[in-house]
Amino acid sequence: MIQLNWLWRLLIGAGSLLLADLLLDDVYIRGFVIALLASLILGLVNIFVRPVLVFFTLPVTFLTFGLFLLVVNALTFWLASGLVPGFEVHGFWAAFWGALITAVINGIFNSYLEKRNR
């Protein structure tokens, strides 16, 4: 069941990236396969790079009452776009809004998956 959840999360991530592509002019994804690869790379960046960024930005995060984590999310989104050919993000604000859109969509569908698995 765990492997099936992983696959669902990957598909949900790809779908949320494609939705960000539709909603934002400065985010471009060249097809569903690229969206799947970008979802996988974004997940790996969030596992390995994001905790380091969060640790080093803790003082700023505390001063902004956690709002700086939105900037960290945008940076990880932008980094993932740099690692996946065919996934382009043009500018910080595109990364900011793209990360916000994907986080909201992923959060909604992943909470549904968790409720369904109980």
Side-chain angles (χ1 to χ4, degrees), residues 47-99:
I47 290 171
F48 295 110
V49 177
R50 188 176 185 275
V52 175
L53 289 175
V54 168
F55 176 76
F56 284 116
T57 60
L58 270 178
V60 177
T61 302
F62 284 130
L63 287 174
T64 61
F65 300 107
L67 289 176
F68 195 75
L69 289 175
L70 295 171
V71 173
V72 172
N73 288 344
L75 292 175
T76 58
F77 192 82
W78 209 355
L79 175 62
S81 75
L83 298 173
V84 179
F87 174 32
E88 300 173 14
V89 176
H90 301 285
F92 172 79
W93 289 110
F96 179 86
W97 291 111

